[in-house]
Amino acid sequence: MIGEGTQSTNQRRHNYVQENVEVGFFTDPTVCIGCKACEVACKEWNEVPDDGFVWSGNSYDNTGRLGASTWRHVLFLEQDRQKGKQITGPMGLPGSQSDDPFRWVFLSDVCKHCEQAGCLESCPTGSIVRTEIGSVFVQNDVCNGCGYCIVSCPFGVIDRRPQWLPEAGGAFKCTFCYDRQKSGLVPACAKVCPTESIVFGRLDDLRARGAQRVEQLKQSGYDDVQLYDPQETSVRGIHAFFLILGEPEAYGLPPKPQVPTIYLKSAWVSAIATAIGALLLTLASFAFFS
Amino acid sequence: MRREKQRLGSAGAPSAVFGVSPKSVPATSRDPECIVRGAQPGERGACAPQSPAMTNEERLDQLREQAWNKGVVAGRGVDVAGGPIPRKHGYYGQSVVKPPVWSWEIPVYFFIGGFSGMAAVISLAAFIFRRGDVGMTAMWVAAIGALISPVLLSMDLGRPRLFLNMLRVFKYKSAMSVGAWIVFAFGACVIPGVIALEVHARQVFGGGVDQFLKILAGLLVCGSAFWGILLATYTGVLLGATVIPAWFYIACSCRFISERQDWDRQSRCSNCSAIESRRSMPLDLSPLLSRRRFGFGSRLTNTAPLIAPCMKATPGGSFAAVKSLAVRSRSFCA
């Protein structure tokens, strides 16, 4: 936490991997300044290749979205709403009389490391595994790039790396800096975050802190603040959870994410019914027409 | 929305400053074709009302007016992905889930896999009804399909040389893993089955060996029919058990009517608001549920321009169409 100096969980060394402690990220947009240091640190530490430079025109967000070569992504939202007890005034063109509330919200998006992960359940090679610290990890040397995890992720995080980039063809996403954590280091993005908008720590501590922060902000006049941690859906909670202002849809987060395995039962029932029907039809056609 | 309308009012203000109100723009110049052509520098003179004298401000006003009236302005460089007009759903109009990365091999495989799988079933039925010639031909068709299918599947992989990793584990919760094993088991039944049938038909061996071959061929034909029918149907599960709204929506709609009503009521299947707020979806998927799937004349005609380019004589036409639907349906943020 900010103010704790070297004793902050973002700075001190730990041995969560050895102790099998579930860890997480808590990302708080109210203190994020949109510096994108997390994006840079992630790319540098993990040697993620650049995926092109495009001016998107979406506020200051030229990263686009999470993908095979973007594991941290700072969202830039421009909303016509008030932020806390912000003082608003006429900000439009000369002549406009009305108050014009405006807020700029930054949120560092990342793989959510779901409790019940769609990519992990759908991976046919067993390349995606769950680690001791509860994160979801893609073993790059096992992945054969079938692309099924991409259509199984309810958050649209994981992606296949295109052919012109190094280590092409495999599925990539945030590793939760598993290599760093194994040697007692904090994930790169949390380490560099200058305002500690990204907080790294034990998951239970972070959840408590998140609830506390929501209360604090509500008292300071942030009416539409909420925690984004879908524990009541089939995803059963996420390890990298967010505090958001307003609706999750505006952040590109599904309000009710569902793991696709919940559709398996009905899909298999349909498939088996079709199979039996086709078999009977074939036998019947031979019986009547031969 | 009301807020944005207010913005429109304020955005319209500068036009008054310049002495040109949006109303005074000639009606012909609001033709979208004109604006599109006007946006390209080379053809600026092609549209008569857009004289070179028109200032950038006027043109901006014109575009704004068109944007508010029609919701979208066509033309390269005009409709910026996250541009302020018109404001897009969700995060700058991005879909929540990612589009599939599969290319043409997968729809072709769906066809060939299903074809050869059902060929094996037909072969079994033919042998049951004493039509050996039909059975033999069908087994050959199945065998050829069983050889092509894994090749197509491997070609689509990001790293084809690691295709054997598919058989590294078996996960019943992953339709892809189940499918890989089905393809493998089908091939393992069909190829020896054809060989055994041919050897038996040509009477290469006599006596006990031939009897053994006959029994073996019978068993292998039964096995290939079993795996073949699974091969022909598991692909529905493969598509249905994903987070792509158009795909799981179709898969779920195949359930019995009573169950579906129940399911609609509980909205158990809703991956966010896709089903709950169907009315507010930009792309209404309800025509997909009707018998006239992709039928023109239904409400889906609105999306015909999306589908038409994908339908052009490609083997995976309908697949690509569904893919395009899936990508474009921003039902998650509706």
Side-chain angles (χ1 to χ4, degrees):
Chain A
M1 204 170 187
I2 209 93
E4 289 174 342
T6 52
Q7 283 312 299
S8 158
T9 48
N10 272 17
Q11 301 302 329
R12 64 166 183 242
R13 294 178 72 91
H14 61 82
N15 41 2
Y16 293 140
V17 176
Q18 287 74 23
E19 292 165 1
N20 294 348
V21 175
E22 279 199 322
V23 297
F25 281 134
F26 168 52
T27 312
D28 181 356
T30 54
V31 291
C32 181
I33 55 172
C35 67
K36 303 192 193 179
C38 46
E39 284 188 23
V40 175
C42 176
K43 284 239 180 195
E44 290 211 339
W45 177 265
N46 295 301
E47 296 184 331
V48 182
D50 83 71
D51 46 356
F53 299 94
V54 183
W55 298 112
S56 67
N58 302 339
S59 191
Y60 276 51
D61 176 11
N62 292 310
T63 310
R65 62 177 305 172
L66 291 174
S69 307
T70 309
W71 300 349
R72 267 277 176 196
H73 169 217
V74 182
L75 305 161
F76 285 70
L77 274 75
E78 298 183 21
Q79 294 177 323
D80 300 334
R81 288 202 209 161
Q82 207 165 339
K83 190 179 198 173
K85 288 175 180 162
Q86 171 195 12
I87 298 162
T88 58
M91 296 201 317
L93 294 150
S96 69
Q97 298 296 321
S98 61
D99 272 14
D100 211 354
F102 172 80
R103 71 179 181 196
W104 211 2
V105 183
F106 318 117
L107 177 71
S108 185
D109 196 10
V110 70
C111 171
K112 280 80 185 169
H113 297 281
C114 312
E115 190 71 42
Q116 195 83 30
C119 60
L120 170 67
E121 293 194 341
S122 71
C123 177
T125 61
S127 136
I128 305 182
V129 292
R130 190 170 297 278
T131 62
E132 306 93 311
I133 46 174
S135 62
V136 178
F137 182 75
V138 186
Q139 302 176 79
N140 188 29
D141 52 339
V142 179
C143 174
N144 64 7
C146 72
Y148 200 46
C149 49
I150 297 161
V151 291
S152 301
C153 173
F155 298 98
V157 169
I158 196 165
D159 205 355
R160 193 160 87 178
R161 195 169 278 175
Q163 289 301 330
W164 59 86
L165 292 176
E167 295 187 277
F172 286 89
K173 70 169 193 66
C174 164
T175 62
F176 221 119
C177 280
Y178 184 61
D179 49 347
R180 285 177 66 90
Q181 293 208 42
K182 249 186 155 172
S183 23
L185 299 170
V186 171
C189 49
K191 182 87 182 174
V192 298
C193 183
T195 60
E196 297 209 349
S197 164
I198 301 168
V199 190
F200 167 79
R202 298 174 64 111
L203 189 60
D204 39 4
D205 285 358
L206 287 183
R207 284 196 166 135
R209 174 185 285 200
Q212 201 185 333
R213 179 72 181 152
V214 167
E215 285 309 308
Q216 198 185 346
L217 284 171
K218 276 194 174 152
Q219 282 167 14
S220 327
Y222 287 77
D223 298 327
D224 54 353
V225 64
Q226 58 169 312
L227 272 190
Y228 182 76
D229 189 8
Q231 292 188 3
E232 69 289 351
T233 66
S234 59
V235 169
R236 286 178 32 217
I238 51 182
H239 287 211
F241 62 101
F242 306 92
L243 184 149
I244 53 173
L245 305 174
E247 297 307 309
E249 289 95 329
Y251 298 80
L253 297 168
K256 282 188 203 163
Q258 301 283 14
V259 176
T261 39
I262 61 167
Y263 311 127
L264 269 179
K265 199 177 152 199
S266 63
W268 273 117
V269 168
S270 306
I272 300 297
T274 315
I276 293 168
L279 183 67
L280 292 179
L281 205 67
T282 315
L283 289 173
S285 55
F286 269 96
F288 288 112
F289 300 112
S290 65
Chain B
M1 199 63 196
R2 209 190 312 154
R3 161 72 50 198
E4 288 170 11
K5 289 265 179 188
Q6 282 174 10
R7 282 252 164 129
L8 169 68
S10 60
S15 63
V17 175
F18 286 100
V20 184
S21 86
K23 294 271 166 8
S24 72
V25 176
T28 44
S29 70
R30 286 186 210 148
D31 181 34
E33 282 266 318
C34 244
I35 287 168
V36 173
R37 267 189 278 159
Q40 289 170 0
E43 291 178 72
R44 185 154 279 214
C47 280
Q50 285 200 340
S51 60
M54 185 180 229
T55 62
N56 287 341
E57 281 296 324
E58 284 167 17
R59 184 165 147 61
L60 199 57
D61 281 340
Q62 202 183 350
L63 290 177
R64 282 200 180 114
E65 194 195 1
Q66 195 194 347
W68 285 117
N69 289 338
K70 295 190 176 175
V72 67
V73 181
R76 195 178 159 77
V78 174
D79 179 31
V80 180
I85 311 170
R87 194 150 292 183
K88 302 274 175 71
H89 287 288
Y91 186 69
Y92 298 109
Q94 285 181 1
S95 59
V96 172
V97 292
K98 281 228 157 50
V101 291
W102 297 330
S103 47
W104 62 270
E105 290 95 344
I106 298 296
V108 172
Y109 156 72
F110 284 173
F111 180 76
I112 290 181
F115 198 81
S116 61
M118 282 313 290
V121 178
I122 288 171
S123 164
L124 176 68
F127 282 118
I128 289 173
F129 287 93
R130 308 268 165 218
R131 293 289 301 273
D133 51 337
V134 177
M136 189 66 104
T137 316
M139 272 307 267
W140 269 107
V141 170
I144 292 166
L147 286 175
I148 297 174
S149 299
V151 175
L152 284 171
L153 285 176
S154 302
M155 274 166 72
D156 181 67
L157 293 178
R159 293 162 173 170
R161 63 193 170 76
L162 295 180
F163 72 97
L164 271 182
N165 280 5
M166 282 289 185
L167 306 181
R168 198 172 153 263
V169 288
F170 173 74
K171 288 164 89 170
Y172 70 95
K173 271 192 171 181
S174 164
M176 181 83 92
S177 175
V178 174
W181 281 102
I182 288 174
V183 172
F184 173 73
F186 179 66
C189 283
V190 168
I191 309 288
V194 162
I195 294 170
L197 275 176
E198 283 290 336
V199 171
H200 171 66
R202 282 158 204 224
Q203 296 288 323
V204 177
F205 306 104
V209 181
D210 197 56
Q211 280 300 312
F212 172 72
L213 272 178
K214 194 179 169 187
I215 294 165
L216 183 69
L219 285 176
L220 286 173
V221 167
C222 287
S224 53
F226 175 74
W227 293 113
I229 206 153
L230 285 179
L231 178 68
T233 48
Y234 94 89
T235 47
V237 182
L238 187 76
L239 291 189
T242 60
V243 292
I244 309 287
W247 288 356
F248 73 72
Y249 205 45
I250 291 171
C252 293
S253 74
C254 297
R255 300 171 73 185
F256 303 109
I257 301 294
S258 59
E259 272 188 41
R260 218 187 81 207
Q261 283 168 346
D262 181 43
W263 156 77
D264 269 349
R265 208 178 305 124
Q266 297 178 356
S267 292
R268 265 172 48 215
C269 241
S270 69
N271 209 341
C272 20
S273 51
I275 288 139
E276 284 160 348
S277 60
R278 222 162 63 191
R279 225 172 283 156
S280 65
M281 276 166 62
L283 175 66
D284 195 346
L285 290 176
S286 55
L288 293 177
L289 299 179
S290 70
R291 282 169 199 280
R292 302 183 293 170
R293 285 190 188 171
F294 298 115
F296 292 101
S298 66
R299 285 173 65 194
L300 208 66
T301 40
N302 288 340
T303 56
L306 302 181
I307 300 168
C310 315
M311 286 291 212
K312 268 187 211 150
T314 55
S318 58
F319 175 82
V322 174
K323 182 171 161 178
S324 124
L325 275 177
V327 178
R328 309 244 178 171
S329 62
R330 302 203 184 91
S331 48
F332 281 78
C333 298

